[in-house]
Amino acid sequence: MPVVDLELVKNLYKTPGAARLPVDVAPRFKAGDAVVARNINPPGHTRLPRYIRDKKGVIENDLGVFHLPDSRAAGTGDQAQHMYTVRFDAREVWGVEAPANDSLRITLWDDYMNPA
Amino acid sequence: MSSDASDGADAKTALRVRALESLLLEKGLIETDAIEELVDMFENRLGPWNGAKVVARAWTDPAFKQRLLQDGTAALAEMGFDTIQGEEMVIVENSPGVHNVIVCTLCSCFPWAVLGLPPVWYKSAPYRAEAARDPRGVLREFGTEIDGDTEVRVWDSNAELRYMVLPERPAGSDNMDAAALAELVTRDSMIGVSKVAPP
């Protein structure tokens, strides 16, 4: 078992583990694309929140390439995918009682979406 | 928190922490200077005073503000805030027509580098559920009323990305310098559950 010493703690503070990947992968979507979040219910870890599944949104911007958390957590190998800021109208998610102006921003990986 | 019940709970927690600390030390799993470093990190170096400096600078330095909104991670690195849980930062700006609020519906993701550790309510199930579903109602509980014409934008920190709100500069602060302005900026205003009060 590794001992938590001063150096380890200093490295923790100064050189954090970024999940961004310096690799070139083709994006499936671009800003302005209409998308629908997939309705998946994996037994393991996912960062696709349940409340957004099957809801329609619009890609706001491409954030670059990141590890897909699902496959990392499952131990099935690293997958590099584009991650996007996706806008969902509050009414699309919560229904007609939600204020017309309001919206949510969620970060979604390529695998979490289909073209709408 | 000064009730007897919470004092009791605090005392119990302190006792448990001391017991864990001595066990870890006895077993040689952690070193004393590493503990001191961890405590110093979270007590003195990671906290909302960092974010307050960023906000005050953005209010007084338009070129910096532009860089901050364009590439939050790089702009924060200029100020030395490229540290733990600030690896990928996006700064979202409040304006007369847009009010931003941050939540982590899946767990408790929070921008430690600029705001420190999250408050207990931020990690609680009611905040995580309600901030996404009814942000205006949650804001009202914090005493923040957002008019109907303003768009409320909820940012769910569900990925390897941390958000910070750049609140609106309050009225009556025109003659204040960055150091004085930083004193006005609260943690809650950078989460987006409140506004910065006028001086």
Side-chain angles (χ1 to χ4, degrees), chain A residues 1 3-6 9-10 12-14 16-17 19-20 47 49 51 63 66 83 85 87 94 99 101-107 109, chain B residues 28-31 33-34 37-38 41 45-46 83-84 87-88 105 132-133 136 148-149 151-156 158-161 163:
Chain A
M1 202 160 191
V3 176
V4 178
D5 61 13
L6 186 59
V9 175
K10 281 189 167 164
L12 186 74
Y13 180 74
K14 274 195 163 174
R20 185 182 285 278
R47 300 287 182 86
Y51 70 88
L63 295 158
F66 289 78
M83 200 171 90
T85 301
R87 177 201 163 104
W94 308 117
N101 286 343
D102 295 358
S103 62
L104 293 136
R105 297 291 187 292
I106 311 226
T107 315
W109 278 259
Chain B
L29 294 172
I30 193 165
E31 292 175 2
D33 50 4
E37 178 74 7
L38 276 167
M41 191 195 290
R45 281 178 282 154
L46 298 170
T83 55
I84 186 166
E87 294 90 336
E88 295 284 341
T105 61
R133 200 188 62 78
R136 288 173 190 267
D149 296 335
E151 175 186 350
V152 174
R153 280 184 200 166
V154 177
W155 296 80
D156 190 348
N158 63 314
E160 309 311 324
L161 209 64
Y163 301 101

Short mmCIF file of all heavy atoms in Angstrom, two decimals, chain A residues 1 3-6 9-10 12-14 16-17 19-20 47 49 51 63 66 83 85 87 94 99 101-107 109, chain B residues 28-31 33-34 37-38 41 45-46 83-84 87-88 105 132-133 136 148-149 151-156 158-161 163:
data_model
loop_
_atom_site.label_atom_id
_atom_site.label_comp_id
_atom_site.label_asym_id
_atom_site.label_seq_id
_atom_site.Cartn_x
_atom_site.Cartn_y
_atom_site.Cartn_z
N MET A 1 0.86 -1.20 0.00
CA MET A 1 0.00 0.00 0.00
C MET A 1 0.89 1.25 0.00
O MET A 1 1.81 1.35 0.80
CB MET A 1 -0.88 -0.02 1.25
CG MET A 1 -2.11 0.84 1.09
SD MET A 1 -3.35 0.34 2.29
CE MET A 1 -4.76 1.21 1.68
N VAL A 3 2.34 4.83 0.74
CA VAL A 3 2.26 5.72 1.89
C VAL A 3 1.95 7.14 1.39
O VAL A 3 2.53 7.59 0.41
CB VAL A 3 3.59 5.71 2.66
CG1 VAL A 3 3.54 6.71 3.81
CG2 VAL A 3 3.88 4.32 3.18
N VAL A 4 1.00 7.79 2.07
CA VAL A 4 0.68 9.17 1.72
C VAL A 4 1.74 10.06 2.37
O VAL A 4 1.73 10.28 3.58
CB VAL A 4 -0.74 9.55 2.20
CG1 VAL A 4 -1.04 11.00 1.87
CG2 VAL A 4 -1.77 8.63 1.57
N ASP A 5 2.69 10.51 1.57
CA ASP A 5 3.74 11.38 2.11
C ASP A 5 3.59 12.79 1.53
O ASP A 5 2.70 13.07 0.73
CB ASP A 5 5.13 10.80 1.83
CG ASP A 5 5.41 10.65 0.34
OD1 ASP A 5 4.65 11.21 -0.48
OD2 ASP A 5 6.39 9.97 0.00
N LEU A 6 4.46 13.68 1.97
CA LEU A 6 4.36 15.10 1.60
C LEU A 6 4.39 15.28 0.09
O LEU A 6 3.64 16.07 -0.47
CB LEU A 6 5.52 15.87 2.26
CG LEU A 6 5.48 17.39 2.09
CD1 LEU A 6 4.22 18.00 2.66
CD2 LEU A 6 6.72 18.02 2.74
N VAL A 9 1.07 14.48 -1.62
CA VAL A 9 0.05 15.50 -1.38
C VAL A 9 0.34 16.75 -2.22
O VAL A 9 -0.57 17.36 -2.80
CB VAL A 9 -0.04 15.86 0.12
CG1 VAL A 9 -1.02 17.01 0.34
CG2 VAL A 9 -0.50 14.65 0.92
N LYS A 10 1.63 17.12 -2.30
CA LYS A 10 1.98 18.31 -3.11
C LYS A 10 1.67 18.07 -4.58
O LYS A 10 1.22 18.98 -5.28
CB LYS A 10 3.46 18.64 -2.93
CG LYS A 10 3.70 19.38 -1.62
CD LYS A 10 5.12 19.90 -1.52
CE LYS A 10 5.21 20.89 -0.38
NZ LYS A 10 6.59 21.16 0.02
N LEU A 12 -0.64 16.11 -5.70
CA LEU A 12 -2.10 16.10 -5.79
C LEU A 12 -2.61 17.53 -6.02
O LEU A 12 -3.50 17.77 -6.83
CB LEU A 12 -2.64 15.56 -4.47
CG LEU A 12 -4.13 15.33 -4.32
CD1 LEU A 12 -4.52 14.08 -5.10
CD2 LEU A 12 -4.49 15.14 -2.84
N TYR A 13 -2.00 18.48 -5.34
CA TYR A 13 -2.42 19.86 -5.42
C TYR A 13 -2.02 20.50 -6.73
O TYR A 13 -2.78 21.20 -7.38
CB TYR A 13 -1.80 20.62 -4.24
CG TYR A 13 -2.15 22.09 -4.19
CD1 TYR A 13 -3.42 22.51 -3.81
CD2 TYR A 13 -1.20 23.06 -4.51
CE1 TYR A 13 -3.75 23.85 -3.75
CE2 TYR A 13 -1.52 24.41 -4.45
CZ TYR A 13 -2.79 24.80 -4.07
OH TYR A 13 -3.10 26.12 -4.02
N LYS A 14 -0.77 20.21 -7.12
CA LYS A 14 -0.19 20.96 -8.24
C LYS A 14 -0.40 20.34 -9.61
O LYS A 14 -0.50 21.06 -10.60
CB LYS A 14 1.32 21.11 -8.01
CG LYS A 14 1.67 22.31 -7.16
CD LYS A 14 3.14 22.59 -7.28
CE LYS A 14 3.48 23.99 -6.81
NZ LYS A 14 4.93 24.20 -6.80
N PRO A 16 -2.88 18.11 -11.10
CA PRO A 16 -4.09 17.33 -11.05
C PRO A 16 -4.27 16.49 -12.32
O PRO A 16 -3.72 16.82 -13.36
CB PRO A 16 -5.19 18.38 -10.95
CG PRO A 16 -4.54 19.71 -11.02
CD PRO A 16 -3.12 19.52 -11.39
N GLY A 17 -5.02 15.43 -12.20
CA GLY A 17 -5.23 14.53 -13.33
C GLY A 17 -6.35 15.00 -14.23
O GLY A 17 -7.51 14.81 -13.96
N ALA A 19 -8.75 15.01 -17.45
CA ALA A 19 -9.34 13.92 -18.23
C ALA A 19 -9.29 14.23 -19.73
O ALA A 19 -9.69 13.41 -20.54
CB ALA A 19 -10.77 13.69 -17.80
N ARG A 20 -8.81 15.44 -20.07
CA ARG A 20 -8.72 15.81 -21.49
C ARG A 20 -7.64 14.98 -22.17
O ARG A 20 -6.59 14.71 -21.58
CB ARG A 20 -8.38 17.29 -21.60
CG ARG A 20 -8.38 17.82 -23.03
CD ARG A 20 -7.97 19.28 -23.04
NE ARG A 20 -9.04 20.16 -22.57
CZ ARG A 20 -10.04 20.57 -23.35
NH1 ARG A 20 -10.14 20.16 -24.59
NH2 ARG A 20 -10.95 21.38 -22.86
N ARG A 47 -22.38 8.91 -16.89
CA ARG A 47 -22.57 10.32 -16.53
C ARG A 47 -23.73 10.93 -17.31
O ARG A 47 -23.85 12.14 -17.38
CB ARG A 47 -21.28 11.12 -16.83
CG ARG A 47 -20.06 10.66 -16.09
CD ARG A 47 -20.11 11.04 -14.62
NE ARG A 47 -18.87 10.61 -13.97
CZ ARG A 47 -17.76 11.34 -13.96
NH1 ARG A 47 -17.73 12.52 -14.53
NH2 ARG A 47 -16.68 10.89 -13.37
N PRO A 49 -27.20 11.77 -17.04
CA PRO A 49 -28.21 11.83 -15.98
C PRO A 49 -29.55 11.29 -16.49
O PRO A 49 -29.92 11.49 -17.64
CB PRO A 49 -28.33 13.33 -15.68
CG PRO A 49 -27.08 13.95 -16.21
CD PRO A 49 -26.68 13.11 -17.38
N TYR A 51 -32.54 12.16 -15.83
CA TYR A 51 -33.61 13.11 -16.15
C TYR A 51 -33.53 13.67 -17.56
O TYR A 51 -34.46 14.32 -18.02
CB TYR A 51 -33.66 14.24 -15.11
CG TYR A 51 -32.51 15.23 -15.12
CD1 TYR A 51 -32.56 16.36 -15.93
CD2 TYR A 51 -31.42 15.07 -14.31
CE1 TYR A 51 -31.54 17.29 -15.93
CE2 TYR A 51 -30.38 15.99 -14.30
CZ TYR A 51 -30.44 17.09 -15.11
OH TYR A 51 -29.42 18.02 -15.10
N LEU A 63 -16.31 20.65 -26.67
CA LEU A 63 -15.33 20.95 -25.62
C LEU A 63 -14.00 20.24 -25.84
O LEU A 63 -13.04 20.50 -25.12
CB LEU A 63 -15.90 20.53 -24.26
CG LEU A 63 -17.13 21.31 -23.80
CD1 LEU A 63 -17.92 20.51 -22.77
CD2 LEU A 63 -16.74 22.66 -23.23
N PHE A 66 -12.27 13.74 -24.48
CA PHE A 66 -12.14 13.30 -23.09
C PHE A 66 -12.38 11.80 -23.00
O PHE A 66 -13.00 11.21 -23.88
CB PHE A 66 -13.16 14.02 -22.20
CG PHE A 66 -12.86 15.48 -21.98
CD1 PHE A 66 -13.14 16.42 -22.97
CD2 PHE A 66 -12.28 15.92 -20.81
CE1 PHE A 66 -12.86 17.76 -22.78
CE2 PHE A 66 -12.00 17.26 -20.60
CZ PHE A 66 -12.28 18.19 -21.59
N MET A 83 -16.68 15.68 -26.22
CA MET A 83 -17.61 16.03 -25.16
C MET A 83 -18.16 17.40 -25.53
O MET A 83 -17.42 18.26 -26.02
CB MET A 83 -16.79 16.10 -23.87
CG MET A 83 -17.53 15.97 -22.58
SD MET A 83 -16.33 15.81 -21.21
CE MET A 83 -16.08 17.52 -20.77
N THR A 85 -21.05 20.76 -24.69
CA THR A 85 -22.07 21.42 -23.88
C THR A 85 -23.37 21.36 -24.67
O THR A 85 -23.41 21.80 -25.81
CB THR A 85 -21.71 22.89 -23.60
OG1 THR A 85 -20.45 22.93 -22.93
CG2 THR A 85 -22.77 23.57 -22.75
N ARG A 87 -27.53 22.16 -24.71
CA ARG A 87 -28.60 22.95 -24.10
C ARG A 87 -29.92 22.20 -24.18
O ARG A 87 -30.28 21.66 -25.23
CB ARG A 87 -28.73 24.28 -24.86
CG ARG A 87 -29.84 25.16 -24.37
CD ARG A 87 -30.26 26.19 -25.42
NE ARG A 87 -31.56 26.72 -25.06
CZ ARG A 87 -31.75 27.93 -24.51
NH1 ARG A 87 -30.72 28.72 -24.32
NH2 ARG A 87 -32.94 28.32 -24.17
N TRP A 94 -38.91 19.30 -18.15
CA TRP A 94 -39.83 19.27 -16.99
C TRP A 94 -41.29 19.51 -17.35
O TRP A 94 -42.15 19.49 -16.47
CB TRP A 94 -39.39 20.30 -15.94
CG TRP A 94 -37.96 20.19 -15.56
CD1 TRP A 94 -36.99 21.14 -15.75
CD2 TRP A 94 -37.30 19.07 -14.93
NE1 TRP A 94 -35.78 20.68 -15.29
CE2 TRP A 94 -35.94 19.43 -14.78
CE3 TRP A 94 -37.73 17.82 -14.49
CZ2 TRP A 94 -35.01 18.56 -14.22
CZ3 TRP A 94 -36.80 16.96 -13.92
CH2 TRP A 94 -35.46 17.34 -13.78
N PRO A 99 -40.75 27.48 -16.58
CA PRO A 99 -40.71 28.78 -17.25
C PRO A 99 -40.15 28.66 -18.67
O PRO A 99 -39.17 27.94 -18.89
CB PRO A 99 -39.77 29.61 -16.36
CG PRO A 99 -39.78 28.92 -15.03
CD PRO A 99 -39.98 27.46 -15.33
N ASN A 101 -38.46 30.60 -20.51
CA ASN A 101 -37.09 31.13 -20.75
C ASN A 101 -35.99 30.20 -20.28
O ASN A 101 -34.86 30.32 -20.72
CB ASN A 101 -36.88 32.42 -19.94
CG ASN A 101 -37.62 33.58 -20.53
OD1 ASN A 101 -38.02 33.51 -21.68
ND2 ASN A 101 -37.78 34.62 -19.75
N ASP A 102 -36.29 29.34 -19.31
CA ASP A 102 -35.21 28.68 -18.58
C ASP A 102 -34.64 27.47 -19.31
O ASP A 102 -35.30 26.88 -20.16
CB ASP A 102 -35.69 28.29 -17.18
CG ASP A 102 -36.02 29.52 -16.33
OD1 ASP A 102 -35.81 30.64 -16.84
OD2 ASP A 102 -36.48 29.35 -15.20
N SER A 103 -33.41 27.14 -18.97
CA SER A 103 -32.74 26.05 -19.68
C SER A 103 -31.70 25.38 -18.80
O SER A 103 -31.32 25.90 -17.75
CB SER A 103 -32.07 26.61 -20.94
OG SER A 103 -31.08 27.56 -20.58
N LEU A 104 -31.25 24.24 -19.26
CA LEU A 104 -30.20 23.48 -18.57
C LEU A 104 -29.04 23.29 -19.52
O LEU A 104 -29.24 23.16 -20.73
CB LEU A 104 -30.71 22.09 -18.19
CG LEU A 104 -31.80 22.03 -17.14
CD1 LEU A 104 -32.87 21.04 -17.56
CD2 LEU A 104 -31.20 21.61 -15.81
N ARG A 105 -27.82 23.24 -18.95
CA ARG A 105 -26.64 22.90 -19.75
C ARG A 105 -26.03 21.63 -19.14
O ARG A 105 -25.76 21.60 -17.93
CB ARG A 105 -25.60 24.01 -19.71
CG ARG A 105 -26.04 25.32 -20.30
CD ARG A 105 -26.21 25.23 -21.80
NE ARG A 105 -26.48 26.53 -22.39
CZ ARG A 105 -27.59 27.25 -22.21
NH1 ARG A 105 -28.56 26.80 -21.46
NH2 ARG A 105 -27.75 28.43 -22.79
N ILE A 106 -25.87 20.64 -20.01
CA ILE A 106 -25.32 19.36 -19.56
C ILE A 106 -24.17 19.01 -20.47
O ILE A 106 -24.16 19.41 -21.64
CB ILE A 106 -26.40 18.26 -19.63
CG1 ILE A 106 -27.65 18.79 -18.94
CG2 ILE A 106 -25.90 16.96 -19.03
CD1 ILE A 106 -28.31 17.89 -18.00
N THR A 107 -23.20 18.30 -19.95
CA THR A 107 -22.08 17.88 -20.77
C THR A 107 -22.30 16.44 -21.20
O THR A 107 -22.50 15.57 -20.36
CB THR A 107 -20.77 17.99 -19.97
OG1 THR A 107 -20.78 19.24 -19.30
CG2 THR A 107 -19.58 17.92 -20.88
N TRP A 109 -21.13 13.15 -23.88
CA TRP A 109 -20.17 12.54 -24.79
C TRP A 109 -20.90 12.04 -26.05
O TRP A 109 -22.12 11.87 -26.03
CB TRP A 109 -19.50 11.35 -24.10
CG TRP A 109 -18.36 11.67 -23.20
CD1 TRP A 109 -17.02 11.55 -23.49
CD2 TRP A 109 -18.41 12.12 -21.83
NE1 TRP A 109 -16.26 11.90 -22.39
CE2 TRP A 109 -17.07 12.25 -21.37
CE3 TRP A 109 -19.45 12.44 -20.95
CZ2 TRP A 109 -16.76 12.68 -20.08
CZ3 TRP A 109 -19.14 12.88 -19.67
CH2 TRP A 109 -17.81 12.98 -19.25
N GLY B 28 1.65 3.52 9.59
CA GLY B 28 2.61 4.03 8.62
C GLY B 28 2.02 4.27 7.25
O GLY B 28 2.72 4.22 6.24
N LEU B 29 0.70 4.54 7.19
CA LEU B 29 0.05 4.76 5.89
C LEU B 29 0.07 6.22 5.46
O LEU B 29 -0.12 6.55 4.31
CB LEU B 29 -1.40 4.25 5.94
CG LEU B 29 -1.55 2.74 6.11
CD1 LEU B 29 -3.01 2.36 6.34
CD2 LEU B 29 -1.01 2.01 4.88
N ILE B 30 0.26 7.11 6.45
CA ILE B 30 0.34 8.54 6.12
C ILE B 30 1.41 9.16 7.02
O ILE B 30 1.66 8.66 8.13
CB ILE B 30 -1.03 9.23 6.29
CG1 ILE B 30 -1.03 10.63 5.66
CG2 ILE B 30 -1.46 9.29 7.75
CD1 ILE B 30 -2.41 11.23 5.47
N GLU B 31 2.05 10.22 6.52
CA GLU B 31 3.08 10.88 7.32
C GLU B 31 2.53 12.21 7.86
O GLU B 31 1.68 12.84 7.24
CB GLU B 31 4.34 11.09 6.47
CG GLU B 31 4.99 9.73 6.17
CD GLU B 31 6.19 9.81 5.23
OE1 GLU B 31 6.57 10.93 4.82
OE2 GLU B 31 6.73 8.73 4.92
N ASP B 33 3.73 15.22 8.12
CA ASP B 33 3.82 16.44 7.29
C ASP B 33 2.85 16.41 6.11
O ASP B 33 2.44 17.45 5.61
CB ASP B 33 5.25 16.73 6.83
CG ASP B 33 5.92 15.52 6.20
OD1 ASP B 33 5.25 14.49 6.05
OD2 ASP B 33 7.11 15.62 5.85
N ALA B 34 2.45 15.20 5.70
CA ALA B 34 1.45 15.09 4.63
C ALA B 34 0.08 15.54 5.16
O ALA B 34 -0.67 16.23 4.46
CB ALA B 34 1.36 13.67 4.11
N GLU B 37 0.12 19.29 5.42
CA GLU B 37 0.00 19.87 4.09
C GLU B 37 -1.47 19.84 3.60
O GLU B 37 -1.96 20.82 3.05
CB GLU B 37 0.91 19.11 3.11
CG GLU B 37 0.86 19.56 1.68
CD GLU B 37 1.57 20.88 1.39
OE1 GLU B 37 2.23 21.41 2.31
OE2 GLU B 37 1.44 21.38 0.26
N LEU B 38 -2.12 18.70 3.84
CA LEU B 38 -3.54 18.57 3.43
C LEU B 38 -4.42 19.59 4.14
O LEU B 38 -5.26 20.25 3.53
CB LEU B 38 -4.04 17.15 3.74
CG LEU B 38 -3.74 16.08 2.71
CD1 LEU B 38 -4.01 14.70 3.29
CD2 LEU B 38 -4.57 16.28 1.44
N MET B 41 -3.75 23.01 2.82
CA MET B 41 -4.31 23.13 1.47
C MET B 41 -5.78 23.54 1.54
O MET B 41 -6.22 24.49 0.92
CB MET B 41 -4.17 21.76 0.78
CG MET B 41 -4.46 21.75 -0.70
SD MET B 41 -4.70 20.05 -1.32
CE MET B 41 -3.08 19.39 -1.21
N ARG B 45 -5.43 27.50 1.31
CA ARG B 45 -5.12 27.76 -0.09
C ARG B 45 -6.28 27.54 -1.05
O ARG B 45 -6.35 28.19 -2.09
CB ARG B 45 -3.91 26.92 -0.52
CG ARG B 45 -2.59 27.54 -0.03
CD ARG B 45 -1.41 26.69 -0.41
NE ARG B 45 -1.29 25.55 0.47
CZ ARG B 45 -0.70 24.40 0.13
NH1 ARG B 45 -0.21 24.24 -1.09
NH2 ARG B 45 -0.60 23.42 1.00
N LEU B 46 -7.17 26.61 -0.74
CA LEU B 46 -8.33 26.39 -1.60
C LEU B 46 -9.55 26.96 -0.90
O LEU B 46 -9.97 26.46 0.14
CB LEU B 46 -8.54 24.89 -1.84
CG LEU B 46 -7.42 24.13 -2.55
CD1 LEU B 46 -7.68 22.64 -2.49
CD2 LEU B 46 -7.27 24.58 -3.99
N THR B 83 -5.18 24.43 -10.11
CA THR B 83 -4.89 23.39 -9.11
C THR B 83 -6.03 22.37 -9.04
O THR B 83 -6.91 22.38 -9.88
CB THR B 83 -4.64 24.02 -7.72
OG1 THR B 83 -5.76 24.83 -7.40
CG2 THR B 83 -3.40 24.90 -7.74
N ILE B 84 -5.97 21.55 -8.03
CA ILE B 84 -6.87 20.39 -7.91
C ILE B 84 -8.35 20.78 -8.04
O ILE B 84 -8.81 21.75 -7.44
CB ILE B 84 -6.59 19.64 -6.58
CG1 ILE B 84 -7.40 18.35 -6.49
CG2 ILE B 84 -6.83 20.52 -5.37
CD1 ILE B 84 -6.91 17.41 -5.38
N GLU B 87 -9.13 21.68 -13.13
CA GLU B 87 -8.38 21.29 -14.33
C GLU B 87 -9.03 21.78 -15.61
O GLU B 87 -8.35 22.12 -16.58
CB GLU B 87 -8.28 19.75 -14.42
CG GLU B 87 -7.46 19.11 -13.32
CD GLU B 87 -8.29 18.75 -12.10
OE1 GLU B 87 -9.36 19.37 -11.89
OE2 GLU B 87 -7.88 17.85 -11.36
N GLU B 88 -10.35 21.78 -15.62
CA GLU B 88 -11.11 22.23 -16.80
C GLU B 88 -12.19 23.16 -16.27
O GLU B 88 -13.18 22.72 -15.70
CB GLU B 88 -11.76 21.04 -17.52
CG GLU B 88 -10.78 20.05 -18.12
CD GLU B 88 -10.14 20.58 -19.41
OE1 GLU B 88 -10.70 21.53 -20.02
OE2 GLU B 88 -9.09 20.05 -19.80
N THR B 105 -25.82 17.19 -10.15
CA THR B 105 -26.94 16.32 -9.81
C THR B 105 -26.49 14.89 -9.49
O THR B 105 -27.15 14.18 -8.76
CB THR B 105 -28.00 16.25 -10.94
OG1 THR B 105 -27.38 15.73 -12.12
CG2 THR B 105 -28.59 17.61 -11.23
N ALA B 132 -31.97 21.56 -10.27
CA ALA B 132 -32.18 21.22 -11.68
C ALA B 132 -33.66 21.41 -12.07
O ALA B 132 -33.96 21.94 -13.12
CB ALA B 132 -31.76 19.78 -11.95
N ARG B 133 -34.55 20.97 -11.19
CA ARG B 133 -35.98 20.96 -11.55
C ARG B 133 -36.66 22.31 -11.36
O ARG B 133 -37.48 22.73 -12.17
CB ARG B 133 -36.71 19.91 -10.69
CG ARG B 133 -38.05 19.47 -11.26
CD ARG B 133 -38.81 18.60 -10.28
NE ARG B 133 -39.12 19.32 -9.04
CZ ARG B 133 -40.10 20.20 -8.91
NH1 ARG B 133 -40.87 20.51 -9.93
NH2 ARG B 133 -40.31 20.81 -7.74
N ARG B 136 -35.63 28.42 -9.77
CA ARG B 136 -36.16 29.68 -9.24
C ARG B 136 -36.65 29.50 -7.80
O ARG B 136 -36.50 30.38 -6.96
CB ARG B 136 -37.30 30.21 -10.12
CG ARG B 136 -36.81 30.76 -11.44
CD ARG B 136 -37.97 31.12 -12.37
NE ARG B 136 -37.49 31.43 -13.70
CZ ARG B 136 -37.20 32.67 -14.13
NH1 ARG B 136 -37.37 33.69 -13.32
NH2 ARG B 136 -36.74 32.87 -15.34
N GLY B 148 -39.12 37.40 -14.25
CA GLY B 148 -39.62 36.46 -15.24
C GLY B 148 -38.96 36.57 -16.61
O GLY B 148 -38.89 35.59 -17.36
N ASP B 149 -38.48 37.77 -16.96
CA ASP B 149 -37.86 37.97 -18.28
C ASP B 149 -36.45 37.42 -18.35
O ASP B 149 -35.90 37.24 -19.43
CB ASP B 149 -37.81 39.47 -18.61
CG ASP B 149 -39.20 40.06 -18.74
OD1 ASP B 149 -40.13 39.28 -19.03
OD2 ASP B 149 -39.36 41.28 -18.54
N GLU B 151 -33.51 34.74 -18.19
CA GLU B 151 -33.34 33.29 -18.40
C GLU B 151 -32.52 32.72 -17.25
O GLU B 151 -31.43 33.20 -16.95
CB GLU B 151 -32.60 33.03 -19.73
CG GLU B 151 -32.30 31.55 -19.93
CD GLU B 151 -31.45 31.25 -21.17
OE1 GLU B 151 -31.24 32.16 -22.00
OE2 GLU B 151 -30.98 30.11 -21.28
N VAL B 152 -33.05 31.70 -16.61
CA VAL B 152 -32.27 30.99 -15.60
C VAL B 152 -31.61 29.78 -16.28
O VAL B 152 -32.30 28.95 -16.87
CB VAL B 152 -33.14 30.55 -14.41
CG1 VAL B 152 -32.35 29.68 -13.44
CG2 VAL B 152 -33.70 31.76 -13.68
N ARG B 153 -30.29 29.73 -16.21
CA ARG B 153 -29.54 28.63 -16.81
C ARG B 153 -28.91 27.78 -15.72
O ARG B 153 -28.11 28.27 -14.93
CB ARG B 153 -28.38 29.17 -17.67
CG ARG B 153 -28.82 29.64 -19.01
CD ARG B 153 -27.63 30.06 -19.85
NE ARG B 153 -28.13 30.92 -20.91
CZ ARG B 153 -27.39 31.68 -21.67
NH1 ARG B 153 -26.08 31.70 -21.52
NH2 ARG B 153 -27.93 32.42 -22.61
N VAL B 154 -29.27 26.52 -15.71
CA VAL B 154 -28.70 25.58 -14.74
C VAL B 154 -27.56 24.83 -15.41
O VAL B 154 -27.74 24.31 -16.52
CB VAL B 154 -29.77 24.59 -14.26
CG1 VAL B 154 -29.15 23.57 -13.31
CG2 VAL B 154 -30.92 25.32 -13.59
N TRP B 155 -26.40 24.80 -14.77
CA TRP B 155 -25.25 24.07 -15.29
C TRP B 155 -25.01 22.84 -14.43
O TRP B 155 -24.68 22.96 -13.25
CB TRP B 155 -24.01 24.97 -15.29
CG TRP B 155 -24.15 26.16 -16.20
CD1 TRP B 155 -24.81 27.32 -15.92
CD2 TRP B 155 -23.63 26.29 -17.53
NE1 TRP B 155 -24.73 28.17 -17.01
CE2 TRP B 155 -24.01 27.57 -18.00
CE3 TRP B 155 -22.87 25.46 -18.37
CZ2 TRP B 155 -23.66 28.02 -19.28
CZ3 TRP B 155 -22.52 25.92 -19.62
CH2 TRP B 155 -22.92 27.19 -20.08
N ASP B 156 -25.24 21.67 -15.01
CA ASP B 156 -25.05 20.43 -14.27
C ASP B 156 -23.61 19.94 -14.48
O ASP B 156 -23.21 19.63 -15.60
CB ASP B 156 -26.06 19.38 -14.76
CG ASP B 156 -26.08 18.13 -13.89
OD1 ASP B 156 -25.18 17.98 -13.05
OD2 ASP B 156 -27.01 17.30 -14.06
N ASN B 158 -21.85 17.40 -14.62
CA ASN B 158 -21.87 15.93 -14.69
C ASN B 158 -20.61 15.34 -15.32
O ASN B 158 -20.48 14.13 -15.41
CB ASN B 158 -23.11 15.45 -15.47
CG ASN B 158 -23.11 15.91 -16.91
OD1 ASN B 158 -22.83 17.06 -17.19
ND2 ASN B 158 -23.40 15.01 -17.82
N ALA B 159 -19.68 16.19 -15.77
CA ALA B 159 -18.49 15.67 -16.46
C ALA B 159 -17.21 16.23 -15.84
O ALA B 159 -17.24 16.79 -14.75
CB ALA B 159 -18.57 16.01 -17.93
N GLU B 160 -16.11 16.08 -16.55
CA GLU B 160 -14.81 16.51 -16.03
C GLU B 160 -14.62 18.00 -16.27
O GLU B 160 -13.63 18.43 -16.85
CB GLU B 160 -13.67 15.73 -16.69
CG GLU B 160 -13.84 14.23 -16.67
CD GLU B 160 -14.18 13.68 -15.30
OE1 GLU B 160 -13.68 14.21 -14.29
OE2 GLU B 160 -14.96 12.73 -15.23
N LEU B 161 -15.58 18.76 -15.84
CA LEU B 161 -15.61 20.19 -16.12
C LEU B 161 -16.19 20.85 -14.88
O LEU B 161 -17.16 20.36 -14.32
CB LEU B 161 -16.58 20.39 -17.30
CG LEU B 161 -16.39 21.53 -18.25
CD1 LEU B 161 -15.09 21.41 -19.01
CD2 LEU B 161 -17.56 21.53 -19.23
N TYR B 163 -17.60 24.50 -13.12
CA TYR B 163 -18.13 25.82 -13.47
C TYR B 163 -17.98 26.78 -12.30
O TYR B 163 -17.99 26.39 -11.14
CB TYR B 163 -19.62 25.71 -13.81
CG TYR B 163 -19.91 24.77 -14.96
CD1 TYR B 163 -20.38 23.48 -14.72
CD2 TYR B 163 -19.69 25.17 -16.27
CE1 TYR B 163 -20.64 22.61 -15.76
CE2 TYR B 163 -19.94 24.31 -17.32
CZ TYR B 163 -20.42 23.03 -17.06
OH TYR B 163 -20.67 22.17 -18.09
#
